[in-house]
Amino acid sequence: MDGHKDFTLNPKNYPRPKLLSFLNKVHSRGMKYIVIIDPGIGVNSSYGVYQRGMANDVFIKYEGEPYLAQVWPGPVYFPDFLNPKTVSWWTDEVRRFHQLVPVDGLWIDMNEASNFCNGKCKIPTTHQCPNATGPGWICCLDCKNITKTRWDDPPYKINASGIQAPIGYKTIATSAVHYNGVLEYDAHSLYGFSHAVATHKALQELEGKRPFVLSRSTFVGSGSYTAHWTGDNQGTWENLKYSISTMLNFGIFGVPMVGSDICGFYPQPTEELCNRWIELGAFYPFSRDHANYYSPRQELYVWNSVAESARNALGMRYKLLPYFYTLNYEAHTSGAPIARPLFFSFPNFTQCYGLSTQFLLGSGVMVSPVLEQGKSEVKALFPPGTWYNLFDMTQAIVSEQGHYLTLDAPLHVINVHVYQNTILPMQQGGMTSKEARMTPFSLVVAFPTGTASGEAKGKLFLDDDERPDMKLGNGYSTYIEFYASVSQKTVKVWSEVQEGKFALEKGWIISKVTVLGLNGIGKTLAVEVDGKPMVDVSGLEFNATQQRYLDKLEDGGNKGKSMMVEVKGLELPVGKNFAMSWKMGIKG
């Protein structure tokens, strides 16, 4: 930005020709460019955004005049997004900015709204504001507290910021007025929400694509319009732990796309903490490393050890993108969170009710991170059933009643497990999501260990990720339900496809199916596509590996042998129904 002013470019650091050249390179690789903007509009008579805002009368008022506050540009006015004229003005400013710089989304910050000053302020005549020295968050306006109304000084007190501050502390004065005479006192919690709605509308009107909005302030309903990060979390072990409960709560609040700043916003994290944070953060629905401008660098490549942990964890995230994306579709259609507390899937397992050191992604994947300094193992709770290590699917844990188990977790290891009765769609990963999305699919079919009889199911939603609505029936999406069964020594895996045209046009295939928990190896494979037998199965490869039990708390002697069977070399079109089956031979 030029002087922190919204919708501007710094001509020295980001000259437009060089920025456009950079963006061409970014976009050619299928990557996206998101920039930050705040709601506060700099009070500056030479600034076009301000001029047009004043002409359209879009700002929140106090005693009939725009309410003066201070944020990064210095003196600012706050747009009133409850006013339809403001939404039209904001939409036009986003359009103008997009013509200047073709950004792919907007990150909207400071929209609680945050104010560096308190009360009624005016621009000082004795000194410059801002003065371009210091960190910028010291109030430089001339201000006096407002206590004359019951809205500014209500009969009850809240402990704002933990310092017994007035209700309007470091925000818009609570007796300021919105459109139609609505008081800030009544509308305060809606500010970030209304900002997100206006930004979502503005972006969607640009190109008719699905908007990407990331907002710091949210309210009930925000999840329909914006992703959320949890604000200025600290780079501490305690905050690493809190990030899980925060994420789970926001999912329940209806904001499924959520995460905390990986490695912490401030102060600088230790190398060990950053290792553990990226291992966890790779599995946040919204996953981003971010730090305070004044902090030392903490990009994941700064430390070799953190880079290794990031490659491991983010590598798995990118393989799981089809599963993550399908959970987005599920959140969109049913309201179920992407990241869930264990009690969502195990409501009768009372031991997990208060658990916030582990979480589920959907109903089939459990993440159990290290959250304490100096630890190279983690005590994880396993609800009843069979769990397979997603990084090494030969490792099985059988929890008959549900129990805690201590797992090895060296510095570069995060424990992620897939649950029985699940079919997990995966791809091969890549350096970008665009690259990852074009790789062949694989299916992981998890049965209870050593099973002679069982069922599993999964689902997959696919579209171009840019249409405004995630829905079926428009010819631009495909939905597949996967099923598997084992009975009478026969294993079956099949799909039921809705709207297969989109997936067929993309040319996606399933190249591998991995089945976990069988009590025998495979032979005499039969494959059908759209009901027609695949005549040549000579290129298919069967591999069987005996699985190992990791649990040390229950008797492993009665479990028998359990096999992981892989079928490779498949070329099953994702957009067509398929069915494959084989007889199980003797135990391995």
Side-chain angles (χ1 to χ4, degrees), residues 508-510 513 527-529 534 570-574 578 580:
W508 282 315
I509 61 160
I510 298 166
V513 174
V527 181
E528 291 183 353
V529 176
M534 185 188 289
L570 294 163
E571 289 198 5
L572 303 172
V574 172
F578 75 84
M580 57 192 298

Side-chain angles (χ1 to χ4, degrees), residues 92 357 372:
D92 183 57
T357 52
E372 295 176 63

Side-chain angles (χ1 to χ4, degrees), residues 461-519:
F461 177 82
L462 298 162
D463 69 4
D464 66 1
D465 81 18
E466 290 197 328
R467 299 202 162 256
D469 207 4
M470 298 179 88
K471 65 180 182 181
L472 286 170
N474 58 11
Y476 296 99
S477 57
T478 295
Y479 185 70
I480 304 113
E481 291 177 326
F482 297 108
Y483 299 93
S485 68
V486 55
S487 64
Q488 297 176 326
K489 295 190 176 180
T490 299
V491 180
K492 294 181 181 175
V493 183
W494 70 98
S495 69
E496 293 180 3
V497 178
Q498 298 178 44
E499 312 279 340
K501 174 173 166 281
F502 175 76
L504 287 173
E505 287 173 352
K506 290 290 185 182
W508 282 315
I509 61 160
I510 298 166
S511 64
K512 182 171 77 167
V513 174
T514 303
V515 184
L516 310 175
L518 298 176
N519 66 3

Side-chain angles (χ1 to χ4, degrees), residues 81-351:
F81 295 104
L82 300 185
N83 185 341
K85 274 203 303 188
T86 307
V87 177
S88 300
W89 161 82
W90 186 256
T91 300
D92 183 57
E93 296 302 340
V94 170
R95 179 188 60 77
R96 289 168 182 266
F97 182 59
H98 191 265
Q99 288 175 343
L100 191 69
V101 188
V103 297
D104 300 289
L106 291 172
W107 160 20
I108 53 177
D109 192 13
M110 309 290 281
N111 54 354
E112 292 75 25
S114 181
N115 180 2
F116 298 155
C117 298
N118 295 303
K120 184 179 181 182
C121 303
K122 59 184 182 182
I123 295 174
T125 55
T126 56
H127 59 271
Q128 190 72 22
C129 180
N131 58 14
T133 61
W137 56 75
I138 307 300
C139 181
C140 62
L141 300 175
D142 286 340
C143 304
K144 59 182 181 182
N145 287 333
I146 307 169
T147 56
K148 60 189 177 189
T149 75
R150 64 193 181 105
W151 313 116
D152 299 293
D153 189 20
Y156 57 87
K157 303 298 178 192
I158 62 167
N159 190 15
S161 299
I163 57 171
Q164 299 291 326
I167 191 171
Y169 180 72
K170 294 293 179 78
T171 189
I172 298 166
T174 37
S175 56
V177 179
H178 290 257
Y179 178 69
N180 256 358
V182 172
L183 288 172
E184 167 70 7
Y185 181 92
D186 295 313
H188 176 81
S189 296
L190 295 175
Y191 195 78
F193 174 73
S194 61
H195 187 201
V197 172
T199 307
H200 185 279
K201 180 177 185 292
L203 288 170
Q204 189 163 309
E205 287 189 12
L206 283 176
E207 295 175 321
K209 292 181 178 179
R210 188 180 310 164
F212 179 87
V213 183
L214 176 66
S215 179
R216 191 167 81 176
S217 178
T218 53
F219 193 64
V220 177
S222 287
S224 198
Y225 300 95
T226 182
H228 176 61
W229 92 103
T230 59
D232 299 350
N233 59 306
Q234 293 181 312
T236 63
W237 290 94
E238 187 179 43
N239 274 235
L240 171 68
K241 184 177 177 180
Y242 285 152
S243 75
I244 298 176
S245 53
T246 311
M247 168 182 69
L248 297 179
N249 278 320
F250 267 91
I252 295 169
F253 299 156
V255 184
M257 184 56 73
V258 59
S260 295
D261 286 342
I262 292 168
C263 300
F265 181 71
Y266 72 97
Q268 184 184 23
T270 63
E271 182 175 348
E272 183 191 359
L273 176 62
C274 215
N275 270 281
R276 293 309 191 186
W277 210 316
I278 183 53
E279 288 168 358
L280 163 58
F283 299 95
Y284 293 155
F286 175 71
S287 180
R288 179 186 72 161
D289 175 10
H290 175 55
N292 172 23
Y293 177 82
Y294 299 98
S295 293
R297 308 309 298 236
Q298 65 179 48
E299 283 87 355
L300 302 172
Y301 52 74
V302 168
W303 301 276
N304 288 335
S305 69
V306 177
E308 183 179 341
S309 294
R311 286 191 292 271
N312 289 343
L314 289 169
M316 181 57 74
R317 178 190 180 87
Y318 273 59
K319 290 174 184 174
L320 286 171
L321 282 178
Y323 182 66
F324 267 106
Y325 196 67
T326 302
L327 291 175
N328 270 282
Y329 175 69
E330 195 173 323
H332 178 59
T333 53
S334 76
I338 297 169
R340 306 173 186 176
L342 270 62
F343 67 72
F344 255 60
S345 287
F346 302 96
N348 298 322
F349 183 50
T350 56
Q351 258 185 287

